[in-house]
Amino acid sequence: GNTTKALPLDSAEQNLSNIVNMCHSLYQSNQSTKNKTFYEHLRFLNEWDGLRLASAQMIASSGVANNHLAGGDVLRMANNVVRFTKLLE
């Protein structure tokens, strides 16, 4: 069957840590953005940083701002693919 190669845990943890650090550098990172919403950040960040922030939200999670009801979409998609593949086996 198909096999996938998982990242070593320390590598995966480092990748997630890098994403979190990037988010902290882009979101509410200074006095002028402290009270801005996620949407306002996307509108006012340059295109590259807005894309980075939106992608990070889709990969990881959003948080308390929306009661943990959004975010993590990319990880859930990958998990769903794995689960559907197992159902077909």
Side-chain angles (χ1 to χ4, degrees):
N2 292 345
T3 60
T4 58
K5 185 176 180 181
L7 288 172
L9 186 57
D10 57 338
S11 179
E13 287 175 357
Q14 184 60 52
N15 287 338
L16 285 174
S17 179
N18 290 342
I19 291 170
V20 168
N21 290 335
M22 183 207 49
C23 288
H24 284 295
S25 76
L26 294 174
Y27 187 73
Q28 298 181 338
S29 60
N30 59 53
Q31 201 58 30
S32 67
T33 61
K34 184 178 180 184
N35 294 315
K36 292 201 181 300
T37 65
F38 181 77
Y39 176 72
E40 289 171 323
H41 277 76
L42 294 180
R43 289 193 34 98
F44 295 106
L45 286 170
N46 67 51
E47 292 173 356
W48 175 245
D49 286 342
L51 180 61
R52 291 169 57 210
L53 184 60
S55 297
Q57 190 265 349
M58 285 188 261
I59 290 170
S61 183
S62 57
V64 178
N66 57 17
N67 297 320
H68 302 283
L69 297 174
D73 302 323
V74 173
L75 294 178
R76 280 195 301 276
M77 272 192 288
N79 183 53
N80 288 341
V81 168
V82 169
R83 288 176 181 258
F84 286 133
T85 302
K86 289 187 185 275
L87 281 173
L88 295 174
E89 291 177 350

